[in-house]
């Protein structure tokens, strides 16, 4: 997909030139470190795409950077909370430095994100800022819900969807909306584009759950079965637990298995017996279709919207 | 001081009615908990005073709340970094809940602070926001400098002053400036008022160092000698180390003493021998006088400025 690659390259140039501050180096080095760990840069690309629908994608470059800074701030703090040693195959910030430095450099990145997002016209600033802050609060709420789920016996599926939308999808929506606003979108268009990215992000996150179970280890990048080994309440887990009860299968016996290869295989089979793999796939497809439908409300011709649909299609088809 | 008490009461009413969010409760309860631990509310009062110079102090109520939210966010995270068990005689957030909750609720408070600070006219928003973000970055830098100092052999005095100004004083300056801007101050007035509060805050912080050594235990509230027991590089410590070398007194022997009452008394004496107590007092007075001089640049009559001077005098005379 040409547009995606071109926008990724455009954004990478900004990352290469990024200079957030020099001293104290223990505050700024971790920021540059994590911003340079790579990744697909989906969020900033969505912001640039949003602006690109109405003119020059670069108009939203500060907002794209703000979104990526915010995303990486949340990664640093989440990695501390999860005690995660690795991020994209490299040391996490708190492992490379320490937890205090992770907390503080994360805080600084959040402030930096606000400095970047505010680089728009005075006329747009209140709306851009309100959207960004609302999203940021939702991301915090989503992270807390995720932590709460760990100690809950059962999580209703709608709460789970609410959690992944807050923790992940709203930031995609926000990126798209802010990019569109800065590009010159009407409030109605910006809202429809927000819905598009929110729903696409929901499909994306459920796909993440699916790939964690059935992904190709060569392509997936993360350890397949990681969610199963840590008894993580994903969409598949939640639905399987519900269906197992109806079929008088003792789910708790599966959950209590020691975390090894055997457990992963048992769950892969159980999910198939319960048809939960097909359920996950249908939910992935449903949210994907809903996201495309949201585009119908955007007041732009099909040709202009084509790169967005292509992007959605690419994300939908991903295996990593 | 009537104005101070009246503004404290006005702000307390807002704290009493504060509702930042309901669920997830582990995200929002810690925010309300720390906001209700009390304190002198110096920062929000300065914001209200800033607006009060030009009209109704309440005009800056959202900004006063933003400043207090920011201050308390930084307290939660600093307490984690310092592994502090108590804050104002009560459990710190990470002790009452846990570190993860402290990190995340702190993050949420920073976002909330932005939501409050943005509640001003569109015309003022860019300037108010830029001032707030610049200050927030400086506070992060100040906190990192403070942590860096712990492992440095010697800290030059000017670096120390820079650190306390970033960690503490700039937020007082920011409160005053933003309050004044929202109240209707010119850019020049707002800048002069910023200087006033910055310099007053510097005097205030050095006084804190002084009271930690020579404060009346009945009035001070914190343990007298705490800085000495932890070998903290305060203004008195830094200056004493320098003067001891000139007088061939082995400062390292003092520093190596075990942390007990004896060490506190030895340092109290050493500081007197080296005249460092008088030096600290003169620095407290010098920054206080400089702060009053900054008021001369404000385009308001003496009567209007009287409450500010009274406030400065009260803060200068404090023993707790």
């Amino acid at each position: 997909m040409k547009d995606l690659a071109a926008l990724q390259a455009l954004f990478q140039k900004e990352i290469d030139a990024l200079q957030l501050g020099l001293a104290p180096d223990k505050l700024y080095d971790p920021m540059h470190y994590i911003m340079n760990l790579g990744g697909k840069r989906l969020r900033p690309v969505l912001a640039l795409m949003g602006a690109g629908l109405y003119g020059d994608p670069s108009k939203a470059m500060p907002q794209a950077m703000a979104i990526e800074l915010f995303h990486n701030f949340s990664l640093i703090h989440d990695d501390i909370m999860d005690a995660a040693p690795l991020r994209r195959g490299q040391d996490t910030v708190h492992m490379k430095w320490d937890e205090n430095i992770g907390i503080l450099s994360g805080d600084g990145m959040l402030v930096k994100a606000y400095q970047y997002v505010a680089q728009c016209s005075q006329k747009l600033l209140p709306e851009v800022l309100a959207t960004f802050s609302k999203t940021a609060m939702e991301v915090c709420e989503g992270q807390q819900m995720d932590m709460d789920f760990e100690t809950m016996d059962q999580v209703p599926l709608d709460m789970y969807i609410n959690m992944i939308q807050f923790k992940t999808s709203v930031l995609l929506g926000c990126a798209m909306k802010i990019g569109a606003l800065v590009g010159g979108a009407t409030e109605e268009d910006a809202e429809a584009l927000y819905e598009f990215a929110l729903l696409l992000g929901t499909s994306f996150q459920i796909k993440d759950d699916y790939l964690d179970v059935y992904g190709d280890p060569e392509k997936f990048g993360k350890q397949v079965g990681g969610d199963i080994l840590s008894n993580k309440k994903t969409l598949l887990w939640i639905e399987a637990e519900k269906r197992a009860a109806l079929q008088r299968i003792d789910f708790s016996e599966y959950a209590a298995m020691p975390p090894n290869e055997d457990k992963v295989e048992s769950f892969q089979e159980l999910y198939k017996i319960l048809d939960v793999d097909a359920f996950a796939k249908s939910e992935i497809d449903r949210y994907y279709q809903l996201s495309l439908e949201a585009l119908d409300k955007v007041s732009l011709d099909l040709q202009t919207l084509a790169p967005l649909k292509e992007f959605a299609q690419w994300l939908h088809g991903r295996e990593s």
Side-chain angles (χ1 to χ4, degrees), chain A:
Chain A
M1 185 184 165
K2 184 179 162 292
D3 291 274
L4 174 64
L7 293 176
Q8 281 173 328
L10 192 66
F11 186 71
Q12 187 57 43
K13 268 173 52 181
E14 290 292 309
I15 291 281
D16 292 342
L18 186 66
Q19 180 48 263
L20 297 166
L22 287 170
D25 55 2
K26 281 181 188 149
L27 181 65
Y28 290 110
D29 287 352
M31 300 187 194
H32 295 124
Y33 170 76
I34 192 162
M35 289 294 279
N36 280 289
L37 284 187
K40 290 187 280 287
R41 312 289 190 191
L42 294 182
R43 295 157 190 82
V45 162
L46 272 173
L48 299 177
M49 277 188 168
L53 292 171
Y54 303 90
D56 179 7
S58 297
K59 265 186 92 171
M61 189 57 87
Q63 289 70 37
M65 189 59 80
I67 296 283
E68 188 69 358
L69 282 164
F70 179 87
H71 177 54
N72 280 277
F73 134 75
S74 74
L75 295 181
I76 294 181
H77 281 195
D78 285 6
D79 283 341
I80 296 174
M81 295 182 223
D82 299 342
L86 295 175
R87 164 71 55 192
R88 300 199 175 106
Q90 308 278 332
D91 286 340
T92 47
V93 165
H94 68 274
M95 290 299 285
K96 192 172 167 73
W97 286 273
D98 61 39
E99 284 197 12
N100 286 356
I101 286 174
I103 293 171
L104 193 63
S105 59
D107 293 344
M109 282 182 96
L110 177 51
V111 175
K112 282 281 164 190
Y114 271 101
Q115 287 184 322
Y116 275 89
V117 86
Q119 291 172 35
C120 64
S121 72
Q122 188 161 326
K123 191 170 149 280
L124 288 172
L125 185 53
E127 171 77 358
V128 165
L129 203 61
T131 303
F132 187 71
S133 288
K134 178 172 176 286
T135 303
M137 279 313 301
E138 288 171 347
V139 172
C140 289
E141 291 186 4
Q143 170 67 6
Q144 185 58 54
M145 284 184 220
D146 197 13
M147 294 198 293
D148 286 344
F149 287 179
E150 287 173 23
T151 54
M152 277 168 68
D153 277 345
Q154 286 191 326
V155 175
L157 197 57
D158 58 345
M159 271 183 75
Y160 176 76
I161 297 294
N162 187 213
M163 183 278 283
I164 59 169
Q165 289 193 326
F166 272 24
K167 189 169 166 167
T168 305
S169 322
V170 293
L171 190 59
L172 302 183
C174 173
M176 181 105 253
K177 178 176 173 178
I178 289 182
L181 284 171
V182 170
T186 60
E187 179 60 35
E188 292 72 29
D189 269 18
E191 212 41 66
L193 288 164
Y194 176 90
E195 281 301 309
F196 160 73
L198 174 82
L199 294 162
L200 184 64
T202 310
S203 172
F204 171 83
Q205 189 55 44
I206 300 173
K207 179 127 194 180
D208 218 52
D209 287 0
Y210 179 84
L211 289 175
D212 200 273
V213 180
Y214 298 109
D216 180 343
E218 301 278 303
K219 294 178 189 164
F220 185 51
K222 284 184 279 190
Q223 183 193 13
V224 169
D227 289 344
I228 290 167
L229 294 174
S230 62
N231 282 16
K232 193 163 167 62
K233 296 184 187 77
T234 66
L235 177 124
L236 294 101
W237 181 284
I238 291 167
E239 187 65 17
E241 189 165 15
K242 199 169 64 186
R243 293 186 182 191
L246 295 172
Q247 301 197 21
R248 298 181 183 276
I249 294 173
D250 187 357
F251 188 81
S252 63
E253 234 174 66
Y254 282 84
M257 286 177 75
N260 56 33
E261 191 50 41
D262 209 31
K263 179 170 190 172
V264 174
E265 280 170 22
S266 301
F267 266 88
Q268 286 170 333
E269 279 169 37
L270 177 68
Y271 287 165
K272 280 192 193 283
I273 291 166
L274 296 170
D275 226 20
V276 158
D277 58 333
F279 172 71
K281 275 188 187 170
S282 78
E283 286 296 282
I284 293 164
D285 288 343
R286 191 167 68 87
Y287 281 104
Y288 170 63
Q289 291 301 334
L290 285 171
S291 78
L292 294 180
E293 282 168 31
L295 286 184
D296 294 344
K297 284 177 276 176
V298 181
S299 69
L300 292 168
D301 57 40
L302 288 177
Q303 205 190 327
T304 310
L305 289 172
L308 268 196
K309 291 195 180 170
E310 224 176 303
F311 175 80
Q313 207 172 7
W314 167 76
L315 203 64
H316 182 58
R318 81 192 176 98
E319 294 192 34
S320 68

